[in-house]
Amino acid sequence: MKLIAGLGNPGIEYQHTRHNIGFIAIDYLAERLGAEFNKSKFFALTAQASYHGEKLLLLKPQTFMNLSGKAVRAAADFYKIDPSEILIIFDDMDLPCGQLRIRQKGSAGGHNGMKDIISQMGNNQNISRFRLGISHPLYGDPAAYVLGRFSDEEKLLLRPAVEDAADAALCWIEMGTAAAMNRFNGKAARPLEK
């Protein structure tokens, strides 16, 4: 079994905010897989699916972003999922809006949700991650920016980025992180075709 978690904050007030792009992406992936988030387990909303014979657990932690590791760890422990079989999808201010960057392992890169996951998994950095760019604010408080909603211009970049993330996740399931990196890293953000 593989575990895919999209990171975000629970609650209506956080829906459609930049910090919740991980939730948005995993919702779209679940839709593509014909899965529904219909159970509350492991401090998360969960959905089960399969793809090319691989069982999947999709996870939306409900612990708030900075404690995402609690949900990922609980699910991984229950199903005995190795960190190398885990994929995390989250926002990144250091990437242009709509850009997807895939890494096989590494540090949290300043993202508190990923930092907590690495810590909860015994400081194991061998966890694949998809970072979706939300750009850095030109001015103002970065914390307020990530909790803000996407502008109309950003929304045009959002849907193609989420579609790419879902395609890349399916590639990751079937062929692994290196294949997903080769196919999707370096692709420029593209606007929604009208």
Side-chain angles (χ1 to χ4, degrees), residues 5-179:
L7 304 189
N9 285 313
I12 290 180
E13 66 269 35
Y14 297 108
Q15 279 185 332
H16 310 297
T17 61
R18 294 180 182 94
H19 217 22
N20 273 33
I21 198 167
F23 277 6
I24 295 166
I26 202 161
D27 281 340
Y28 181 71
L29 176 62
E31 184 183 315
R32 290 268 303 268
L33 292 167
E36 286 185 45
F37 285 96
N38 55 8
K39 288 188 181 173
S40 182
K41 195 173 183 182
F42 311 121
F43 314 102
L45 296 176
T46 66
Q48 292 200 350
S50 64
Y51 184 72
H52 287 265
E54 183 74 54
K55 290 183 180 178
L56 307 171
L57 177 66
L58 308 182
L59 206 67
K60 290 167 63 175
Q62 300 294 291
T63 54
F64 287 93
M65 183 69 78
N66 294 356
L67 299 174
S68 298
K70 184 176 182 180
V72 172
R73 176 68 186 265
D77 282 355
F78 184 84
Y79 287 108
K80 297 178 175 47
I81 300 171
D82 189 78
S84 65
E85 299 294 309
I86 297 173
L87 169 63
I88 310 296
I89 305 171
F90 58 95
D91 60 294
D92 191 328
M93 283 196 303
D94 292 328
L95 292 175
C97 185
Q99 181 98 38
L100 171 65
R101 176 89 37 89
I102 300 167
R103 291 186 67 194
Q104 189 157 3
K105 58 185 176 180
S107 72
H111 192 279
N112 288 332
M114 193 65 210
K115 190 183 299 182
D116 190 59
I117 290 167
I118 291 170
S119 173
Q120 288 281 345
M121 297 301 292
N123 291 318
N124 191 324
Q125 295 185 1
N126 191 28
I127 299 170
S128 295
R129 72 281 317 259
F130 289 7
R131 298 181 297 144
L132 285 167
I134 59 170
S135 297
H136 204 279
L138 298 175
Y139 54 86
D141 178 19
Y145 174 80
V146 299
L147 294 177
R149 297 183 184 276
F150 290 97
S151 69
D152 289 341
E153 295 79 17
E154 289 169 329
K155 286 177 186 174
L156 292 176
L157 296 168
L158 178 63
R159 181 65 183 213
V162 166
E163 290 173 358
D164 281 349
D167 288 340
L170 298 178
C171 180
W172 173 82
I173 294 162
E174 193 174 5
M175 296 183 278
T177 310

